[in-house]
Amino acid sequence: MTVEIEPSVTPAADGSVVRRGVWRTLRRRPAFWVCLVAVALLAVVAAWPAGFGGLFGGGDPYDCDLLESAVGPGPGHPLGTDLQGCDIYTGLVYGTRTSLSIGLLTTALALGIAFLVGTTAGYRGGWADSVLARVTDIFLGFPFILGAIIILNSTGDRSVLTVSVVLAIFTWPTMARIVRTSVRQVCDAEFVAAARAMGLRSSRIVVRYVLPNALGPTLAVATITVGGVIVAESTLTFLGVGLQAPSVSWGLQLASAQAQFQEHPHMLLFPSLVLSVTVISLIALGDMLRDALDPRGR
Amino acid sequence: MMRFVVRRLLELVVVFLGVTFLIYAMVFALQGDPIAALAGDRPLPDSVVRVLRARYHLDESLWQQYLRYLGGLLQGDLGTDFTGRPVSERMASRWPTTIVLALTAWLLEVLVGVSLGLWAALRHGRLADRAVLLGTIVVSSIPIFVLGATAQLYLGVRWRVFPVSGTQDGWPMGFLLPAACLAVFGLAAVSRLMRGSVIDAMSSDWVRTLRAKGLSPRRIVGVHVMRNSGIPVLTFLAVDLGYLLGGAIVVEGIFNMPGIGQLLFAAIRAHEGPTVVGVSTVLILIFLVISALVDITNSLLDPRIRRDR
């Protein structure tokens, strides 16, 4: 799961000077390690929820006991139970997979579109650039939540996949613009001209020489996006257009806890703590990555 | 100059057509057969289906239907809800609340966001700077409904600093808490942007020249740096006003304020498709128009922007 961000932080196979510099800068910052460990831990939990869900007894997110409805933290239920008597800790563990999946899947889809559109616009230029710029504008024209509401409102079956696809529709334009700008910057570089002079095919030039330069800044933004998407999912779920009941996700836990907040604050407190720590780690990672790639901003 | 304005307006038209078509295609065309849904379990006779399809123009192509919808939209027709009342009529009485709420939130963003950003930038690298940066990240990691519910419980119900909900207390008390919740995200962005752009300016050559001339630090920051760093921040603030007008769905829902956002909130909960689409469309259009106006104003203020494009 951390694979998403790793290529740009490890000294990759080509070991270029720039990349090694980034790794050196990041390596020295304690905050970087804290965030990385947090994200890695969540990735392990998401990959293997069964190993963590049962640590305090129970272990099945659907094994709920109505007799123990809305119990505060105590033995057997370290974080208490929700209104249906489901263990909040177990729900959080199983929800990790759902919430991280939505974050990663959305970002991966958006990255795919962004790279396709951004490189085409940046490398081809001319009319392709103008047309794609207008298309990007159209999608940027939607305020994120409103656009998602319109589509999800008319989608009957809302699974992890559908929610991710809809969120991706509204997240790709920002990244596409970054890719386009980076591609533009290297297009006139001498090594690209050299590659052209050697008669290489466009596809090869783009993949081998142009794209690696756009990778860093885009991945930094992508890391931040994963965090933003996780928050957006919970908001959409709260509004009633996100995931639905049989699924287990942090957003669903928060949405159902909100109504009971005044009497049972623990139901909202723990899920929102976990969600916030996750999102803070992701945003901070992205920020540090961006600073390391472009030291001017620090 | 005129060329830029005309071009930006043309862009607005293109984006407007694109956005409305997307909304139309996604919502109206992908919903399956509405007549079959209307009929329920027992299929209707063919003749009835034909009449109904003709009445609602369902026998036309997607393009014809879209043009019809667009024509209605231009005349202010946003469709009708399930009880037959026009959506635009239901929105009309709700505008004041939403506008006051958005403006209050915007004022908070301007005052608090700009000062925080400036403060952090002038203490670049020190504790205050780090605290502001961390604060902006923490704030963007909390879903807005969690923030709203928490603020309502502690500041409203428990400590009684602010009214719990509604607008009966009038401005400012009735609006401050929801506006603060609404402003939090933009506030984080504004202070980050302000911080970045002041730091950039402070390390620039012209600030060094001003220092060499012997100007007081207060004057350098107050007059010269503020004026130069203000442009990107102002641009962001202007566009953000569009977001604030449309982004109050959750906040108005939680604080039960009778605004546009709450109408949308209630409509989503009650599965009132036509109302959801009508209201969202208007909010998106407002956002589009504001961004176009911002671009044009910016180009009037700063000739460099005209030339860049």
Side-chain angles (χ1 to χ4, degrees), chain A residues 1-16 18-20 22-23 26 32 36 104 111 115 212 215-220 222-223 289 293:
Chain A
M1 289 272 171
T2 40
V3 175
E4 284 286 312
I5 44 174
E6 245 148 30
S8 62
V9 288
T10 38
D14 61 344
S16 63
V18 180
R19 219 157 277 187
R20 215 180 299 148
V22 168
W23 175 235
L26 287 177
F32 170 72
L36 198 64
L104 289 175
L111 266 181
F115 270 118
L215 212 59
T218 320
L219 281 181
T223 316
L289 198 57
L293 286 161

Side-chain angles (χ1 to χ4, degrees), chain B residues 216-259:
Chain B
S216 69
R218 180 179 295 242
R219 200 173 156 75
I220 294 179
V221 174
V223 177
H224 299 274
V225 171
M226 279 295 272
R227 203 156 57 187
N228 273 280
S229 318
I231 297 173
V233 180
L234 275 182
T235 312
F236 176 86
L237 279 169
V239 175
D240 202 47
L241 188 58
Y243 269 117
L244 288 177
L245 281 170
I249 312 161
V250 177
V251 169
E252 282 182 11
I254 286 184
F255 287 94
N256 199 22
M257 311 189 70

Side-chain angles (χ1 to χ4, degrees), chain B residues 74-112:
Chain B
L74 289 177
Q75 289 162 24
D77 175 13
L78 300 169
T80 51
D81 66 4
F82 286 152
T83 57
R85 277 170 70 199
V87 174
S88 50
E89 199 177 279
R90 291 186 64 184
M91 289 179 78
S93 62
R94 290 166 174 270
W95 276 116
T97 308
T98 296
I99 291 173
V100 172
L101 184 64
L103 285 178
T104 316
W106 195 70
L107 206 66
L108 284 174
E109 278 183 16
V110 176
L111 294 177
V112 183

Side-chain angles (χ1 to χ4, degrees), chain A residues 103-139:
Chain A
L104 289 175
L105 191 59
T106 304
T107 312
L109 288 170
L111 266 181
I113 309 175
F115 270 118
L116 201 67
V117 172
T119 33
T120 317
Y123 191 74
R124 291 259 172 246
W127 65 267
D129 191 14
S130 312
V131 170
L132 288 174
R134 288 299 85 76
V135 174
T136 312
D137 279 349
I138 290 177
F139 282 94

Side-chain angles (χ1 to χ4, degrees), chain A residues 238-269:
Chain A
F238 167 73
L239 284 170
V241 289
L243 291 175
Q244 287 154 320
S247 322
V248 181
S249 89
W250 297 342
L252 277 168
Q253 282 188 309
L254 287 171
S256 65
Q258 193 266 334
Q260 258 64 49
F261 184 42
Q262 302 206 355
E263 293 87 41
H264 311 289
H266 73 273
M267 282 161 40
L268 190 75
L269 178 70

